[in-house]
Amino acid sequence: EGIETIHELRKHFPQTKVIVMSGGSRVIGVDYFEAARELGAVKALKKPFAPSELIAAVRDLTLSD
C-alpha cells in the first residue's frame, strides 16, 4: 500500500524525498495525492505520465538539495 510505504519511509528515512505515482483514486473519500503530501511526499505524478515527467521530477528533487 502506497500510503503505508510513505509513512514507513518517512519514519525510518526522514531525509528521503518521496515521489508518488498513482492513477489518482480516492479511498473512502480521501484524495490519495493529498494524503500522500500530508505524509511527506514532495512530488506527485498522475498516471499515465510521460517518462520525461518522471525524469524532470527526479531532477527537480536532486537539484533542490
Side-chain angles (χ1 to χ4, degrees):
E1 176 61 43
I3 295 295
E4 292 173 12
T5 301
I6 295 167
H7 177 71
E8 289 298 311
L9 280 170
R10 301 300 296 157
K11 183 169 67 172
H12 297 288
F13 306 98
Q15 73 286 358
T16 299
K17 297 175 182 174
V18 178
I19 299 172
V20 296
M21 298 170 238
S22 175
S25 65
R26 296 176 76 78
V27 179
I28 311 172
V30 175
D31 180 83
Y32 177 78
F33 289 124
E34 183 179 323
R37 285 187 190 101
E38 287 179 20
L39 285 172
V42 294
K43 294 274 184 181
L45 300 174
K46 186 171 181 179
K47 295 177 186 175
F49 56 86
S52 60
E53 292 177 81
L54 177 58
I55 292 167
V58 171
R59 184 177 296 126
D60 289 347
L61 294 182
T62 57
L63 293 176
S64 68
D65 282 341

Short mmCIF file of all heavy atoms in Angstrom, two decimals:
data_model
loop_
_atom_site.label_atom_id
_atom_site.label_comp_id
_atom_site.label_asym_id
_atom_site.label_seq_id
_atom_site.Cartn_x
_atom_site.Cartn_y
_atom_site.Cartn_z
N GLU A 1 0.84 -1.18 0.00
CA GLU A 1 0.00 0.00 0.00
C GLU A 1 0.89 1.25 0.00
O GLU A 1 1.80 1.38 0.81
CB GLU A 1 -0.91 -0.03 1.22
CG GLU A 1 -1.77 1.19 1.40
CD GLU A 1 -2.72 1.42 0.24
OE1 GLU A 1 -3.34 0.46 -0.23
OE2 GLU A 1 -2.83 2.57 -0.19
N GLY A 2 0.62 2.17 -0.90
CA GLY A 2 1.45 3.36 -1.07
C GLY A 2 1.50 4.27 0.14
O GLY A 2 2.57 4.74 0.54
N ILE A 3 0.35 4.53 0.76
CA ILE A 3 0.30 5.42 1.91
C ILE A 3 1.13 4.84 3.06
O ILE A 3 1.89 5.55 3.72
CB ILE A 3 -1.16 5.69 2.34
CG1 ILE A 3 -1.90 6.46 1.25
CG2 ILE A 3 -1.23 6.42 3.67
CD1 ILE A 3 -1.37 7.85 0.98
N GLU A 4 0.98 3.54 3.30
CA GLU A 4 1.76 2.89 4.36
C GLU A 4 3.25 2.94 4.04
O GLU A 4 4.08 3.14 4.94
CB GLU A 4 1.32 1.44 4.52
CG GLU A 4 -0.08 1.31 5.09
CD GLU A 4 -0.57 -0.13 5.10
OE1 GLU A 4 0.24 -1.06 4.88
OE2 GLU A 4 -1.77 -0.31 5.31
N THR A 5 3.61 2.78 2.78
CA THR A 5 5.02 2.85 2.38
C THR A 5 5.59 4.23 2.63
O THR A 5 6.71 4.36 3.15
CB THR A 5 5.16 2.46 0.90
OG1 THR A 5 4.65 1.13 0.72
CG2 THR A 5 6.62 2.52 0.45
N ILE A 6 4.84 5.27 2.29
CA ILE A 6 5.30 6.63 2.54
C ILE A 6 5.52 6.84 4.03
O ILE A 6 6.56 7.38 4.46
CB ILE A 6 4.30 7.67 2.01
CG1 ILE A 6 4.19 7.60 0.49
CG2 ILE A 6 4.71 9.09 2.44
CD1 ILE A 6 3.01 8.36 -0.07
N HIS A 7 4.58 6.39 4.83
CA HIS A 7 4.68 6.55 6.29
C HIS A 7 5.94 5.86 6.81
O HIS A 7 6.69 6.44 7.60
CB HIS A 7 3.43 5.98 6.96
CG HIS A 7 3.47 6.02 8.44
ND1 HIS A 7 3.38 7.21 9.15
CD2 HIS A 7 3.64 5.05 9.36
CE1 HIS A 7 3.47 6.94 10.43
NE2 HIS A 7 3.63 5.64 10.58
N GLU A 8 6.20 4.64 6.38
CA GLU A 8 7.38 3.89 6.84
C GLU A 8 8.67 4.55 6.35
O GLU A 8 9.65 4.64 7.11
CB GLU A 8 7.30 2.43 6.39
CG GLU A 8 6.26 1.63 7.11
CD GLU A 8 6.53 1.53 8.60
OE1 GLU A 8 7.66 1.21 9.00
OE2 GLU A 8 5.58 1.78 9.39
N LEU A 9 8.71 4.99 5.11
CA LEU A 9 9.90 5.66 4.59
C LEU A 9 10.21 6.91 5.40
O LEU A 9 11.35 7.15 5.78
CB LEU A 9 9.71 6.05 3.13
CG LEU A 9 9.93 4.96 2.10
CD1 LEU A 9 9.48 5.43 0.73
CD2 LEU A 9 11.40 4.55 2.06
N ARG A 10 9.19 7.72 5.67
CA ARG A 10 9.39 8.97 6.42
C ARG A 10 9.82 8.67 7.86
O ARG A 10 10.60 9.42 8.43
CB ARG A 10 8.12 9.81 6.41
CG ARG A 10 7.64 10.21 5.01
CD ARG A 10 8.63 11.01 4.21
NE ARG A 10 8.87 12.27 4.87
CZ ARG A 10 9.93 13.02 4.74
NH1 ARG A 10 10.89 12.65 3.93
NH2 ARG A 10 10.07 14.13 5.37
N LYS A 11 9.32 7.58 8.43
CA LYS A 11 9.67 7.22 9.81
C LYS A 11 11.13 6.77 9.90
O LYS A 11 11.86 7.19 10.80
CB LYS A 11 8.74 6.12 10.31
CG LYS A 11 8.99 5.73 11.75
CD LYS A 11 7.88 4.84 12.31
CE LYS A 11 7.84 3.50 11.64
NZ LYS A 11 6.90 2.55 12.29
N HIS A 12 11.56 5.93 8.97
CA HIS A 12 12.91 5.35 9.04
C HIS A 12 13.96 6.17 8.29
O HIS A 12 15.14 6.10 8.61
CB HIS A 12 12.90 3.92 8.51
CG HIS A 12 12.05 3.00 9.33
ND1 HIS A 12 12.41 2.58 10.59
CD2 HIS A 12 10.84 2.45 9.08
CE1 HIS A 12 11.48 1.79 11.08
NE2 HIS A 12 10.50 1.70 10.17
N PHE A 13 13.55 6.90 7.28
CA PHE A 13 14.46 7.68 6.46
C PHE A 13 13.87 9.07 6.21
O PHE A 13 13.47 9.39 5.09
CB PHE A 13 14.72 6.99 5.12
CG PHE A 13 15.19 5.57 5.25
CD1 PHE A 13 14.30 4.51 5.12
CD2 PHE A 13 16.52 5.29 5.53
CE1 PHE A 13 14.72 3.21 5.25
CE2 PHE A 13 16.95 3.98 5.67
CZ PHE A 13 16.05 2.93 5.53
N PRO A 14 13.78 9.89 7.25
CA PRO A 14 13.07 11.18 7.13
C PRO A 14 13.65 12.13 6.08
O PRO A 14 12.94 12.98 5.58
CB PRO A 14 13.16 11.77 8.53
CG PRO A 14 14.27 11.04 9.20
CD PRO A 14 14.35 9.70 8.57
N GLN A 15 14.91 11.97 5.73
CA GLN A 15 15.53 12.85 4.75
C GLN A 15 15.24 12.45 3.31
O GLN A 15 15.49 13.20 2.38
CB GLN A 15 17.06 12.92 4.98
CG GLN A 15 17.81 11.66 4.58
CD GLN A 15 17.66 10.46 5.51
OE1 GLN A 15 17.00 10.52 6.53
NE2 GLN A 15 18.27 9.36 5.14
N THR A 16 14.69 11.26 3.11
CA THR A 16 14.40 10.76 1.78
C THR A 16 13.22 11.50 1.17
O THR A 16 12.17 11.66 1.79
CB THR A 16 14.10 9.25 1.83
OG1 THR A 16 15.24 8.58 2.34
CG2 THR A 16 13.77 8.71 0.45
N LYS A 17 13.40 11.94 -0.06
CA LYS A 17 12.33 12.63 -0.78
C LYS A 17 11.50 11.59 -1.53
O LYS A 17 12.05 10.73 -2.20
CB LYS A 17 12.92 13.65 -1.74
CG LYS A 17 13.68 14.75 -0.99
CD LYS A 17 14.35 15.68 -1.95
CE LYS A 17 15.13 16.72 -1.18
NZ LYS A 17 15.92 17.57 -2.06
N VAL A 18 10.20 11.69 -1.39
CA VAL A 18 9.30 10.69 -1.95
C VAL A 18 8.51 11.28 -3.12
O VAL A 18 7.92 12.35 -3.00
CB VAL A 18 8.32 10.18 -0.87
CG1 VAL A 18 7.34 9.19 -1.45
CG2 VAL A 18 9.09 9.56 0.30
N ILE A 19 8.51 10.54 -4.23
CA ILE A 19 7.68 10.88 -5.38
C ILE A 19 6.60 9.80 -5.45
O ILE A 19 6.92 8.61 -5.48
CB ILE A 19 8.49 10.87 -6.69
CG1 ILE A 19 9.61 11.90 -6.65
CG2 ILE A 19 7.57 11.12 -7.89
CD1 ILE A 19 10.57 11.82 -7.83
N VAL A 20 5.35 10.21 -5.46
CA VAL A 20 4.27 9.24 -5.57
C VAL A 20 3.76 9.20 -7.00
O VAL A 20 3.80 10.21 -7.71
CB VAL A 20 3.11 9.52 -4.60
CG1 VAL A 20 3.57 9.39 -3.17
CG2 VAL A 20 2.49 10.87 -4.84
N MET A 21 3.30 8.02 -7.40
CA MET A 21 2.72 7.83 -8.73
C MET A 21 1.44 7.06 -8.54
O MET A 21 1.44 6.02 -7.87
CB MET A 21 3.69 7.02 -9.59
CG MET A 21 5.01 7.70 -9.84
SD MET A 21 6.17 6.57 -10.60
CE MET A 21 7.48 6.62 -9.39
N SER A 22 0.36 7.57 -9.10
CA SER A 22 -0.92 6.92 -8.92
C SER A 22 -1.88 7.30 -10.03
O SER A 22 -1.69 8.31 -10.70
CB SER A 22 -1.52 7.33 -7.57
OG SER A 22 -2.82 6.81 -7.42
N GLY A 23 -2.91 6.49 -10.15
CA GLY A 23 -4.00 6.81 -11.06
C GLY A 23 -4.92 7.87 -10.48
O GLY A 23 -5.86 8.30 -11.12
N GLY A 24 -4.65 8.27 -9.24
CA GLY A 24 -5.41 9.34 -8.61
C GLY A 24 -6.71 8.91 -7.99
O GLY A 24 -7.63 9.70 -7.86
N SER A 25 -6.78 7.68 -7.55
CA SER A 25 -8.02 7.20 -6.97
C SER A 25 -8.29 7.82 -5.60
O SER A 25 -7.40 8.35 -4.95
CB SER A 25 -7.99 5.67 -6.84
OG SER A 25 -6.98 5.29 -5.93
N ARG A 26 -9.53 7.74 -5.20
CA ARG A 26 -9.94 8.19 -3.88
C ARG A 26 -10.23 6.96 -3.05
O ARG A 26 -10.83 6.02 -3.52
CB ARG A 26 -11.17 9.08 -3.96
CG ARG A 26 -10.93 10.36 -4.71
CD ARG A 26 -12.18 11.18 -4.86
NE ARG A 26 -12.58 11.87 -3.66
CZ ARG A 26 -12.04 12.99 -3.19
NH1 ARG A 26 -11.02 13.52 -3.83
NH2 ARG A 26 -12.49 13.57 -2.11
N VAL A 27 -9.79 6.97 -1.80
CA VAL A 27 -10.06 5.86 -0.90
C VAL A 27 -10.93 6.37 0.22
O VAL A 27 -10.52 7.26 0.98
CB VAL A 27 -8.73 5.27 -0.34
CG1 VAL A 27 -9.01 4.14 0.61
CG2 VAL A 27 -7.82 4.84 -1.47
N ILE A 28 -12.13 5.88 0.29
CA ILE A 28 -13.10 6.28 1.31
C ILE A 28 -13.18 7.81 1.41
O ILE A 28 -13.06 8.40 2.47
CB ILE A 28 -12.79 5.64 2.68
CG1 ILE A 28 -12.55 4.15 2.53
CG2 ILE A 28 -13.95 5.88 3.66
CD1 ILE A 28 -12.05 3.47 3.78
N GLY A 29 -13.32 8.45 0.27
CA GLY A 29 -13.49 9.90 0.24
C GLY A 29 -12.24 10.71 0.45
O GLY A 29 -12.29 11.93 0.54
N VAL A 30 -11.08 10.08 0.54
CA VAL A 30 -9.82 10.79 0.76
C VAL A 30 -9.03 10.81 -0.53
O VAL A 30 -8.83 9.77 -1.16
CB VAL A 30 -8.99 10.11 1.88
CG1 VAL A 30 -7.64 10.77 2.03
CG2 VAL A 30 -9.75 10.11 3.19
N ASP A 31 -8.59 11.98 -0.94
CA ASP A 31 -7.78 12.12 -2.13
C ASP A 31 -6.38 11.55 -1.86
O ASP A 31 -5.71 11.98 -0.93
CB ASP A 31 -7.69 13.59 -2.54
CG ASP A 31 -6.85 13.77 -3.78
OD1 ASP A 31 -7.38 13.60 -4.88
OD2 ASP A 31 -5.65 14.09 -3.61
N TYR A 32 -5.96 10.58 -2.67
CA TYR A 32 -4.67 9.91 -2.46
C TYR A 32 -3.50 10.89 -2.49
O TYR A 32 -2.63 10.83 -1.64
CB TYR A 32 -4.48 8.83 -3.54
CG TYR A 32 -3.15 8.14 -3.45
CD1 TYR A 32 -2.93 7.16 -2.49
CD2 TYR A 32 -2.10 8.49 -4.29
CE1 TYR A 32 -1.70 6.55 -2.38
CE2 TYR A 32 -0.87 7.88 -4.19
CZ TYR A 32 -0.68 6.90 -3.23
OH TYR A 32 0.55 6.31 -3.11
N PHE A 33 -3.49 11.80 -3.46
CA PHE A 33 -2.38 12.73 -3.57
C PHE A 33 -2.31 13.68 -2.37
O PHE A 33 -1.24 13.98 -1.87
CB PHE A 33 -2.45 13.54 -4.87
CG PHE A 33 -2.17 12.71 -6.10
CD1 PHE A 33 -3.08 12.64 -7.12
CD2 PHE A 33 -0.98 12.01 -6.22
CE1 PHE A 33 -2.82 11.88 -8.25
CE2 PHE A 33 -0.70 11.26 -7.34
CZ PHE A 33 -1.63 11.18 -8.36
N GLU A 34 -3.46 14.12 -1.90
CA GLU A 34 -3.49 14.99 -0.73
C GLU A 34 -2.96 14.25 0.50
O GLU A 34 -2.14 14.78 1.25
CB GLU A 34 -4.92 15.47 -0.48
CG GLU A 34 -5.05 16.43 0.68
CD GLU A 34 -6.47 16.89 0.88
OE1 GLU A 34 -7.19 17.09 -0.12
OE2 GLU A 34 -6.86 17.05 2.05
N ALA A 35 -3.40 13.03 0.69
CA ALA A 35 -2.92 12.23 1.82
C ALA A 35 -1.43 11.98 1.72
O ALA A 35 -0.69 12.07 2.71
CB ALA A 35 -3.68 10.91 1.88
N ALA A 36 -0.94 11.68 0.51
CA ALA A 36 0.49 11.43 0.31
C ALA A 36 1.31 12.67 0.64
O ALA A 36 2.35 12.58 1.30
CB ALA A 36 0.74 10.99 -1.14
N ARG A 37 0.85 13.83 0.23
CA ARG A 37 1.57 15.08 0.53
C ARG A 37 1.59 15.35 2.04
O ARG A 37 2.59 15.80 2.59
CB ARG A 37 0.96 16.24 -0.23
CG ARG A 37 1.32 16.24 -1.70
CD ARG A 37 0.83 17.50 -2.41
NE ARG A 37 0.97 17.37 -3.82
CZ ARG A 37 -0.03 17.08 -4.66
NH1 ARG A 37 -1.25 16.92 -4.20
NH2 ARG A 37 0.19 16.97 -5.94
N GLU A 38 0.46 15.10 2.69
CA GLU A 38 0.40 15.31 4.14
C GLU A 38 1.37 14.40 4.88
O GLU A 38 1.87 14.76 5.94
CB GLU A 38 -1.03 15.11 4.65
CG GLU A 38 -1.96 16.24 4.26
CD GLU A 38 -3.38 16.03 4.74
OE1 GLU A 38 -3.59 15.23 5.67
OE2 GLU A 38 -4.27 16.68 4.18
N LEU A 39 1.65 13.24 4.32
CA LEU A 39 2.60 12.32 4.93
C LEU A 39 4.04 12.60 4.53
O LEU A 39 4.95 11.96 5.03
CB LEU A 39 2.24 10.87 4.58
CG LEU A 39 1.04 10.32 5.32
CD1 LEU A 39 0.65 8.97 4.75
CD2 LEU A 39 1.33 10.21 6.80
N GLY A 40 4.26 13.54 3.62
CA GLY A 40 5.62 13.92 3.30
C GLY A 40 6.07 13.71 1.87
O GLY A 40 7.23 13.98 1.55
N ALA A 41 5.21 13.22 1.00
CA ALA A 41 5.60 13.11 -0.41
C ALA A 41 5.80 14.52 -0.96
O ALA A 41 5.03 15.42 -0.67
CB ALA A 41 4.53 12.38 -1.21
N VAL A 42 6.86 14.70 -1.73
CA VAL A 42 7.17 16.04 -2.23
C VAL A 42 6.79 16.25 -3.69
O VAL A 42 6.71 17.39 -4.14
CB VAL A 42 8.66 16.39 -2.01
CG1 VAL A 42 8.97 16.49 -0.53
CG2 VAL A 42 9.56 15.37 -2.67
N LYS A 43 6.54 15.18 -4.39
CA LYS A 43 6.12 15.26 -5.78
C LYS A 43 5.06 14.19 -6.02
O LYS A 43 5.11 13.12 -5.41
CB LYS A 43 7.27 15.01 -6.76
CG LYS A 43 8.36 16.05 -6.76
CD LYS A 43 8.01 17.17 -7.69
CE LYS A 43 9.15 18.17 -7.76
NZ LYS A 43 8.86 19.28 -8.61
N ALA A 44 4.13 14.50 -6.91
CA ALA A 44 3.09 13.54 -7.26
C ALA A 44 2.89 13.53 -8.76
O ALA A 44 2.75 14.57 -9.37
CB ALA A 44 1.79 13.91 -6.55
N LEU A 45 2.88 12.34 -9.32
CA LEU A 45 2.65 12.17 -10.76
C LEU A 45 1.41 11.33 -10.95
O LEU A 45 1.28 10.25 -10.38
CB LEU A 45 3.84 11.48 -11.42
CG LEU A 45 5.19 12.19 -11.32
CD1 LEU A 45 6.29 11.31 -11.90
CD2 LEU A 45 5.14 13.52 -12.05
N LYS A 46 0.48 11.82 -11.75
CA LYS A 46 -0.74 11.09 -12.02
C LYS A 46 -0.56 10.25 -13.28
O LYS A 46 -0.12 10.75 -14.31
CB LYS A 46 -1.92 12.05 -12.19
CG LYS A 46 -3.23 11.32 -12.34
CD LYS A 46 -4.41 12.26 -12.29
CE LYS A 46 -5.68 11.44 -12.42
NZ LYS A 46 -6.86 12.26 -12.35
N LYS A 47 -0.87 8.97 -13.17
CA LYS A 47 -0.78 8.07 -14.31
C LYS A 47 -1.91 8.36 -15.29
O LYS A 47 -3.00 8.71 -14.86
CB LYS A 47 -0.88 6.62 -13.85
CG LYS A 47 0.25 6.17 -12.98
CD LYS A 47 -0.01 4.75 -12.53
CE LYS A 47 1.02 4.27 -11.53
NZ LYS A 47 0.69 2.93 -11.02
N PRO A 48 -1.66 8.20 -16.56
CA PRO A 48 -0.36 7.94 -17.17
C PRO A 48 0.45 9.22 -17.26
O PRO A 48 -0.10 10.31 -17.40
CB PRO A 48 -0.73 7.44 -18.57
CG PRO A 48 -2.02 8.12 -18.87
CD PRO A 48 -2.74 8.28 -17.55
N PHE A 49 1.75 9.08 -17.14
CA PHE A 49 2.64 10.22 -17.28
C PHE A 49 3.78 9.83 -18.21
O PHE A 49 4.08 8.66 -18.38
CB PHE A 49 3.18 10.71 -15.93
CG PHE A 49 3.88 9.64 -15.14
CD1 PHE A 49 5.22 9.36 -15.33
CD2 PHE A 49 3.18 8.91 -14.19
CE1 PHE A 49 5.86 8.37 -14.61
CE2 PHE A 49 3.81 7.92 -13.45
CZ PHE A 49 5.14 7.65 -13.66
N ALA A 50 4.36 10.83 -18.82
CA ALA A 50 5.47 10.59 -19.74
C ALA A 50 6.75 10.34 -18.96
O ALA A 50 6.95 10.90 -17.87
CB ALA A 50 5.66 11.80 -20.65
N PRO A 51 7.64 9.50 -19.48
CA PRO A 51 8.92 9.29 -18.82
C PRO A 51 9.65 10.61 -18.53
O PRO A 51 10.31 10.74 -17.50
CB PRO A 51 9.70 8.41 -19.81
CG PRO A 51 8.64 7.68 -20.56
CD PRO A 51 7.51 8.67 -20.68
N SER A 52 9.50 11.57 -19.42
CA SER A 52 10.17 12.86 -19.22
C SER A 52 9.66 13.57 -17.97
O SER A 52 10.41 14.31 -17.32
CB SER A 52 9.99 13.75 -20.45
OG SER A 52 8.62 14.00 -20.68
N GLU A 53 8.39 13.34 -17.59
CA GLU A 53 7.86 13.94 -16.37
C GLU A 53 8.53 13.36 -15.13
O GLU A 53 8.84 14.09 -14.19
CB GLU A 53 6.35 13.73 -16.28
CG GLU A 53 5.56 14.50 -17.31
CD GLU A 53 4.09 14.20 -17.21
OE1 GLU A 53 3.43 14.80 -16.33
OE2 GLU A 53 3.60 13.36 -17.99
N LEU A 54 8.77 12.05 -15.13
CA LEU A 54 9.46 11.41 -14.01
C LEU A 54 10.90 11.90 -13.94
O LEU A 54 11.40 12.24 -12.86
CB LEU A 54 9.42 9.89 -14.13
CG LEU A 54 10.18 9.12 -13.06
CD1 LEU A 54 9.67 9.46 -11.66
CD2 LEU A 54 10.08 7.62 -13.33
N ILE A 55 11.56 11.98 -15.07
CA ILE A 55 12.94 12.47 -15.11
C ILE A 55 13.00 13.90 -14.58
O ILE A 55 13.88 14.24 -13.77
CB ILE A 55 13.52 12.37 -16.53
CG1 ILE A 55 13.69 10.89 -16.91
CG2 ILE A 55 14.84 13.13 -16.65
CD1 ILE A 55 13.97 10.65 -18.37
N ALA A 56 12.07 14.74 -14.98
CA ALA A 56 12.04 16.13 -14.51
C ALA A 56 11.79 16.19 -13.00
O ALA A 56 12.42 17.00 -12.30
CB ALA A 56 10.97 16.91 -15.25
N ALA A 57 10.91 15.34 -12.47
CA ALA A 57 10.63 15.33 -11.04
C ALA A 57 11.87 14.93 -10.25
O ALA A 57 12.22 15.56 -9.25
CB ALA A 57 9.47 14.38 -10.73
N VAL A 58 12.56 13.89 -10.70
CA VAL A 58 13.80 13.46 -10.03
C VAL A 58 14.85 14.55 -10.12
O VAL A 58 15.53 14.87 -9.14
CB VAL A 58 14.31 12.13 -10.63
CG1 VAL A 58 15.70 11.79 -10.09
CG2 VAL A 58 13.33 11.01 -10.36
N ARG A 59 14.99 15.16 -11.28
CA ARG A 59 15.96 16.23 -11.47
C ARG A 59 15.66 17.40 -10.52
O ARG A 59 16.55 17.92 -9.86
CB ARG A 59 15.96 16.71 -12.91
CG ARG A 59 17.02 17.77 -13.19
CD ARG A 59 17.06 18.18 -14.65
NE ARG A 59 17.46 17.04 -15.47
CZ ARG A 59 16.77 16.56 -16.51
NH1 ARG A 59 15.66 17.13 -16.88
NH2 ARG A 59 17.22 15.54 -17.21
N ASP A 60 14.39 17.80 -10.42
CA ASP A 60 14.00 18.87 -9.51
C ASP A 60 14.39 18.56 -8.08
O ASP A 60 14.88 19.44 -7.36
CB ASP A 60 12.49 19.12 -9.57
CG ASP A 60 12.03 19.78 -10.86
OD1 ASP A 60 12.90 20.27 -11.62
OD2 ASP A 60 10.81 19.80 -11.08
N LEU A 61 14.17 17.33 -7.66
CA LEU A 61 14.46 16.97 -6.27
C LEU A 61 15.96 16.88 -6.01
O LEU A 61 16.41 17.24 -4.93
CB LEU A 61 13.81 15.64 -5.93
CG LEU A 61 12.29 15.67 -5.92
CD1 LEU A 61 11.74 14.30 -5.51
CD2 LEU A 61 11.76 16.73 -4.99
N THR A 62 16.73 16.44 -6.99
CA THR A 62 18.17 16.36 -6.77
C THR A 62 18.81 17.73 -6.83
O THR A 62 19.81 17.99 -6.15
CB THR A 62 18.84 15.42 -7.79
OG1 THR A 62 18.57 15.86 -9.10
CG2 THR A 62 18.37 14.00 -7.60
N LEU A 63 18.24 18.65 -7.60
CA LEU A 63 18.79 20.00 -7.68
C LEU A 63 18.39 20.87 -6.50
O LEU A 63 19.03 21.87 -6.21
CB LEU A 63 18.34 20.68 -8.98
CG LEU A 63 18.88 20.08 -10.27
CD1 LEU A 63 18.29 20.78 -11.48
CD2 LEU A 63 20.40 20.13 -10.30
N SER A 64 17.34 20.45 -5.77
CA SER A 64 16.88 21.25 -4.64
C SER A 64 17.65 20.98 -3.36
O SER A 64 17.36 21.56 -2.34
CB SER A 64 15.39 21.04 -4.42
OG SER A 64 15.14 19.72 -3.97
N ASP A 65 18.61 20.07 -3.41
CA ASP A 65 19.43 19.77 -2.20
C ASP A 65 20.38 20.88 -1.88
O ASP A 65 20.88 21.60 -2.63
CB ASP A 65 20.21 18.47 -2.40
CG ASP A 65 19.33 17.25 -2.22
OD1 ASP A 65 18.26 17.39 -1.61
OD2 ASP A 65 19.73 16.19 -2.69
#
